[in-house]
Amino acid sequence: WRMTASGGTAYKVPTFNDLYYPGFSNPDLEPETARNFEASIAWGGALGEARASASATGWHNRVDDLIVFQCDASFVCAPQNVDRATLEGVTIAGEFAWRDTTVKGSINLQNPTDDATGNLLPRRARTYGALSALQRAGPLTLGAELVAASKRYDDAANTRAMAGYAIVNLTVEWPVGKGVTLFARGDNVLDRDYEVAAGYATGGARIFGGLRWAM
């Protein structure tokens, strides 16, 4: 077992693009300041021939002048400051490995809100997570991953909703020599239509491959 707790402060200045990028900037942005607290508990050990681990981490962050990217109804976009925001939640994660099979997952349950309005911060979901599995099959390593997120809003007023989504990704790796591995990856293989920013498609199903070499 392991237990941890931490607290701190943070300071973040706007980037050059935040301040001056043509058509998508705001030269009046203020720096962010934050107070952050986090605590976690984790376990890891053997379960017969298998190994497993699990953890839960909670956090509470208060941010003044949080920098968020916002678009109005006419899709005029620029970064803006949120006077006071609270980001709090918990992350639950686990992993299980038995022989040639490994399964792991995590879920985030959070409440990222604008303190003045109680609205969700733009483009942030209350719930998101991932579940993945790796399987050795001879020289091959096969992988599958499910990634999902709940409903979000594209604007600070929470009037432009973006539906939740779940996508499936697949991978395969094949070591062909000392330090040399061929790999292929398919993202969003079910060709789901979803958005992480309103009005911008994510590209649908994609597949790519390559060769990895390590000395």
Side-chain angles (χ1 to χ4, degrees), residues 67-149:
I67 299 172
V68 298
F69 195 75
Q70 298 186 33
C71 300
D72 62 20
S74 301
F75 286 95
V76 176
C77 304
Q80 305 289 340
N81 286 119
V82 175
D83 287 340
R84 299 196 72 178
T86 299
L87 299 92
E88 59 185 2
V90 62
T91 299
I92 301 171
E95 182 172 343
F96 180 84
W98 181 70
R99 295 183 179 177
D100 293 330
T101 304
T102 301
V103 178
K104 59 182 178 180
S106 65
I107 185 169
N108 290 271
L109 309 172
Q110 62 175 1
N111 190 35
T113 57
D114 182 333
D115 289 354
T117 63
N119 291 339
L120 277 180
L121 295 170
R123 301 178 182 175
R124 297 177 188 248
R126 290 190 187 275
T127 306
Y128 64 94
L131 178 66
S132 65
L134 292 175
Q135 176 66 50
R136 292 286 302 275
L140 301 179
T141 301
L142 309 175
E145 179 184 47
L146 173 68
V147 179

Side-chain angles (χ1 to χ4, degrees), residues 27-46:
D28 297 322
L29 283 176
E30 296 291 336
E32 293 180 6
T33 57
R35 297 175 300 281
N36 312 310
F37 302 93
E38 181 177 294
S40 68
I41 182 169
W43 172 88

